[in-house]
Amino acid sequence: MTDNSNPVKLVVPRRHGDPRGWFTEVYSEPTFAALGVDCRFVQDNHSLSQPRFTLRGLHFQVPPRGQDKLVRCIRGRIFDVAVDVRRGSPTYGSWVGAELSAENGHQLFIPIGFAHGFVTLDEACEVTYKCSDTYAPEQDGGIRWDDPAIAIDWPIPARVTPELSAKDVVQPLFSEFDSPFVYDGRPLQPFV
């Protein structure tokens, strides 16, 4: 299903199909615990992004209200990204990304200590995600989606400016970010 040693996990649930369609189990506590995911999810979020190339991110909540997230796209396609923001990590500032779509059913688990963002690749994309803590506006944080120090290879055509929230337009640069997150001994690894 995924690499257990990687803190960020690309999860590919099995789909069981027949002439009616398919069935998949998107979350099971024992299955995820076997993958090294031992958080408890307490909030589900659902977003709709109408325009293609809507970009949401890069977001996180700081301790003591950090959030693990399990993200999936249930309509359309997105490119989902996690950036290592754990102070002392040998992969600090590195990122991984994957296409999540309603068609492929893939999910991304993003633990506390990683900034999260995504860009929609289709119109009218719907994204759902589980969080291990409720939203705490006073603990909300972010960094610039287009920071050259991070250099995320967003799949956005040249000369296209993504749709951004007012908050995401003014997020600080990575160099201005004083990380409260601590490295846990597991470096970020690329997906195989």
Side-chain angles (χ1 to χ4, degrees):
M1 195 178 226
T2 189
D3 175 9
N4 287 4
S5 64
N6 203 354
V8 176
K9 300 180 186 314
L10 180 61
V11 181
V12 182
R14 288 187 54 207
R15 286 186 173 174
H16 307 278
D18 63 29
R20 300 170 298 163
W22 52 261
F23 170 84
T24 190
E25 187 177 85
V26 296
Y27 177 75
S28 163
E29 188 173 346
T31 301
F32 275 74
L35 297 173
V37 176
D38 60 0
C39 65
R40 178 175 165 255
F41 293 114
V42 298
Q43 179 174 312
D44 282 1
N45 298 329
H46 186 159
S47 71
L48 167 67
S49 299
Q50 284 292 355
R52 185 177 185 201
F53 304 122
T54 295
L55 197 145
R56 297 176 184 260
L58 300 160
H59 303 146
F60 50 81
Q61 278 189 188
V62 298
R65 301 293 303 274
Q67 292 179 316
D68 298 297
K69 297 177 182 177
L70 179 61
V71 183
R72 69 189 190 115
C73 182
I74 61 170
R75 181 175 167 195
R77 298 175 304 131
I78 65 170
F79 184 69
D80 203 35
V81 172
V83 178
D84 188 347
V85 294
R86 300 168 299 163
R87 187 178 62 253
S89 170
T91 54
Y92 186 69
S94 297
W95 64 274
V96 292
E99 183 174 303
L100 310 181
S101 69
E103 184 177 325
N104 71 22
H106 296 179
Q107 301 177 86
L108 201 61
F109 173 74
I110 302 157
I112 294 169
F114 289 80
H116 170 247
F118 66 85
V119 64
T120 62
L121 303 177
D122 294 327
E123 293 180 354
C125 284
E126 291 187 58
V127 174
T128 64
Y129 56 100
K130 295 182 165 306
C131 298
S132 64
D133 199 350
T134 56
Y135 177 61
E138 68 283 358
Q139 305 301 123
D140 192 34
I143 50 179
R144 286 281 302 253
W145 68 276
D146 61 347
D147 190 314
I150 300 170
I152 296 170
D153 187 14
W154 297 103
I156 302 171
R159 297 189 208 102
V160 170
T161 302
E163 295 287 330
L164 299 167
S165 69
K167 175 177 89 169
D168 288 343
V169 169
V170 297
Q171 293 286 13
L173 292 171
F174 191 54
S175 62
E176 300 166 342
F177 173 59
D178 184 19
S179 179
F181 301 103
V182 179
Y183 178 57
D184 64 2
R186 297 178 304 152
L188 181 63
Q189 299 170 26
F191 298 135
V192 182

